[in-house]
Amino acid sequence: MRSFSKFASASALALSLTFGTALTAQAETDIVFGSLSADTQSHITVFVDMDGELTGAAAQANDDTEGRLEDALRDAEFKGKFGKKLRLYGLAPFASITVVGTGDEALSARKLHDLGGYVAQASDNKKNLSVMVDGLNTDVDAAAAQIAMGYALSSYTFTKYKQDAKDIDRTVAFHSDDSGDAQELYENDLEYVKDGIYFTRDMGTEPGKTIYPETFTQAVRDLFEDVPGVEIKVLGVPEMRRLNMGALMGVGQGSIHDPRLVVVTYNGGASGEDPVALVGKGITFDTGGISLKPNNGQWLMKADISGAAAVAGTVYAAAQRGAKVNIVGVMAMAENMPAEDAIRPGDVLTTMSGKTIEVMSTDAEGRLVLSDAVTYVQEEYDPRLLIDIATLTGSAARALAADYAAVVTRDWDLSDEMMRIGTVTGEEVWPLPLNKNHYKSIKSDIADIKSTAGNPGVSIGAAVIGTFVDEDRPWVHLDIAGVDWVNSPTPTTPKGHAGWGVRFMDGVLRDLDTE
Ligand code: BES
Ligand code: ZN
Ligand code: MN
C-alpha cells in the first residue's frame, strides 16, 4: 500500500523537470520573404503548371541554365500534374532545381499549403533554399505566405529524444512580387497558426512519462507567457471538489498525477459578447483504467491528449494573430490509470451538474471528463457556441479513418457549415447522427445515465456529452480519434501527430470574426 496521498504527490517531481516545447527546443527553419529579383540560393524551387510552359521565374531559371531546365523536364516527361515533384541536379549555375507541378485548377489557400508541403518533401530539408512563387493560377492574396505555411507544417520534426539530432540551421526564402504582403501575412498571422499546430503536435508526441496534467498545465503557461490579453485559470482537486466534479476527479483518481481543469480566456471581441467555447479532452495517457486496454498499440494512447492540445494551440494562434472574437478554451486533464483506488466498472459518479453516470467501462473516460468540463464552461461563460474536441472513440476511426473527423451536431445547418469550414481549412469533417434512440440507449438501471451502450459508438459518446449540453445551445462535437495521428504522411503532415483541430477551429473562429 502506498503511504502517500496520490493527489498531493506529483508536484515536487514536476518542478524538477525542465520542459521545452517546439517554440524553444527544436531546430527551426528560418522562413524569409524576398522579391523575385533578389539574390537566390543555389538550391531553388520553381512551379510549373500543366501547360508545361515555363513562365516567369521558371522561365528565368531556364534562361539561367541556358535552356537545360526545359530539356530536363522534357526528358523526364514532367507534365506539371498537381503535387508532382522532381529534383534536378547539375543544372549550373544552380546546385539543384526542384520543380513542383501545380496542375490545371485554380489554387485555393489549402492547395497552396499542399504545394508548400510538396516543396518541403522534395527538398532534403537540410539546405538553404529559394522558392520562386511566380505566375501561379490563384486568387489568394499573398500566396507565398500560404506556401510558406505549408512548407513549415510539412517540415515539422520531433528530435528531442534523439541523441544525435543535428541542429539544422537553414533559411528558406520565398520570392514573389508581393513579398512585403506575404511577409506581413506570414509573420502576423499564419506563423502563429503554425506555432499552435507545432505545440499541439509536441504535446501529442510527448510520452505520458513527461506530459501529465501538471506538466501540460506548465507547458500551456509557458506557451502563453508572452501573449498579451490571455488569462489562465487552473482548477486543481480542491476546486473540483468544491464544484462537485465527480466525473473528472473520478477518471483522475487512479493516477499519481492529479487531474486539472485548465481554462484559458482571450477576449478579442466586443466586450460583453458571449465567447466561443473550445473544450478539449486531455487524457495524458489512456490505459483504459481497470477496463485495461490490450497491449497492441497501447503506446499511442499518449496522444489521447490531442483535443486539449488542439484547444491550447488554437487559442494561442487566435490570441497572437489578434482575432476579434471572445474565446474560452477549457482543457480537461487527467491520466486514466488502473490502481487500487481507481474507479471501477459499475461505479456511479456524480457530476458537477448533479446528474449521475454509471461507469460501464473505465475505458470510456473521455466522455466523463468532458461532462464536467462542458457543464463548467456553460455555467461560468454561457458560450454562444460550444465546440468539444476529443479522441473519443475507436468507432470514429473505424468509420472515417484518417480522412475525416466525425462531427455531431443537433442541427444540420451547423453540420453543413462545419463541412464547409473543413473543406476550406483542409481538416475535413463528416457528420454522424445523434437522435432520441441514442439517448434512450444510455438509460441506466441505477443512475441517471450510463457511460456506454454499444453501437454506434460515436453517437453514444456524443449522447453522453450531449446530456450535459443545454438543449438550445449551439454545440459541435468533434470525435478526432481517427485523424489525430497520421501513419502515412500528407503534404502538410509528416508521419506522427497531426495537430488536428487547430486549423479547423481556427477556421471556425475566422468565420465568426468577419460576421
Ligand atoms: N481514447 C480512446 C479512443 C481511441 C481509440 C482514440 C483509438 C484513438 C484511437 C477512448 O478513451 C476509448 O477507449 N474509447 C472506447 C470507448 C468504449 C469503451 C465505449 C473505444 O472506442 O473502444
Ligand atoms: Zn481515451
Ligand atoms: Mn479510453
Side-chain angles (χ1 to χ4, degrees), residues 116-118 120-121 125 149-156 201 490-494:
Y118 289 125
Q121 289 176 351
N125 267 345
M149 166 143 172
Y151 180 95
L153 289 180
S154 185
S155 49
Y156 171 84
R201 288 176 179 175
T490 72
T492 50
T493 310

Side-chain angles (χ1 to χ4, degrees), residues 281 283 286-288 293 301 304 336 362-366 391-392:
K281 168 181 173 181
I283 299 301
D286 180 12
T287 65
K293 284 183 179 297
M301 286 302 116
D304 216 22
N336 189 20
T362 63
D363 198 11
E365 81 296 339
T391 46
L392 206 74

Side-chain angles (χ1 to χ4, degrees), residues 33 145 180-193 317-323 510:
F33 295 86
D181 291 350
Q183 177 167 0
E184 169 148 351
L185 177 63
Y186 189 75
E187 288 177 1
N188 297 322
D189 186 327
L190 303 184
E191 187 172 17
Y192 294 124
V193 182
Q320 287 286 51
R321 68 181 171 78
R510 282 180 203 267

Side-chain angles (χ1 to χ4, degrees), residues 45-317:
T45 293
V46 297
F47 297 102
V48 176
D49 68 19
M50 280 181 85
D51 281 349
E53 215 178 296
L54 299 180
T55 58
Q60 181 63 50
N62 189 44
D63 286 351
D64 293 346
T65 62
E66 290 164 359
R68 284 176 300 134
L69 173 58
E70 200 170 4
D71 295 343
L73 291 179
R74 195 184 44 245
D75 292 348
E77 294 182 40
F78 186 84
K79 301 277 192 309
K81 208 174 138 220
F82 183 79
K84 273 274 178 236
K85 32 193 205 278
L86 187 62
R87 190 158 189 199
L88 301 162
Y89 297 90
L91 298 181
F94 302 103
S96 75
I97 304 179
T98 300
V99 186
V100 177
T102 60
D104 52 8
E105 282 170 30
L107 300 165
S108 60
R110 175 185 173 177
K111 282 194 141 191
L112 293 168
H113 293 164
D114 284 352
L115 278 186
Y118 289 125
V119 172
Q121 289 176 351
S123 60
D124 60 12
N125 267 345
K126 290 193 184 77
K127 310 262 172 40
N128 294 339
L129 175 68
S130 289
V131 183
M132 311 307 292
V133 182
D134 192 24
L136 295 185
N137 174 14
T138 183
D139 294 333
V140 177
D141 290 338
Q146 303 289 354
I147 292 176
M149 166 143 172
Y151 180 95
L153 289 180
S154 185
S155 49
Y156 171 84
T157 56
F158 188 93
T159 54
K160 186 174 157 188
Y161 296 111
K162 283 187 181 286
Q163 184 178 230
D164 60 353
K166 296 181 187 71
D167 251 351
I168 301 158
D169 272 335
R170 65 175 179 266
T171 300
V172 180
F174 292 84
H175 295 263
S176 67
D177 60 13
D178 56 0
S179 57
D181 291 350
Q183 177 167 0
E184 169 148 351
L185 177 63
Y186 189 75
E187 288 177 1
N188 297 322
D189 186 327
L190 303 184
E191 187 172 17
Y192 294 124
V193 182
K194 183 270 288 179
D195 286 341
I197 294 168
Y198 271 36
F199 176 82
T200 304
R201 288 176 179 175
D202 285 351
M203 292 299 106
T205 310
E206 277 285 350
K209 178 184 171 191
T210 47
I211 295 292
Y212 42 88
E214 188 172 21
T215 51
F216 177 81
T217 303
Q218 190 54 49
V220 170
R221 287 192 194 282
D222 293 348
L223 176 70
F224 285 100
E225 194 177 338
D226 298 317
V227 183
V230 170
E231 273 174 42
I232 301 180
K233 186 160 84 179
V234 179
L235 310 192
V237 169
E239 290 83 10
M240 290 175 203
R241 247 190 222 123
R242 230 170 286 138
L243 293 166
N244 295 316
M245 294 182 160
L248 177 53
M249 284 191 296
V251 171
Q253 182 178 305
S255 171
I256 57 163
H257 303 301
D258 57 337
R260 294 276 191 286
L261 193 79
V262 183
V263 183
V264 181
T265 52
Y266 163 75
N267 289 324
S271 85
E273 187 176 64
D274 291 336
V276 176
L278 310 176
V279 180
K281 168 181 173 181
I283 299 301
T284 59
F285 194 82
D286 180 12
T287 65
I290 296 297
S291 313
L292 194 63
K293 284 183 179 297
N295 173 35
N296 198 8
Q298 213 183 57
W299 65 274
L300 202 48
M301 286 302 116
K302 68 178 183 172
D304 216 22
I305 198 175
S306 298
V311 166
T314 305
V315 179
Y316 173 82

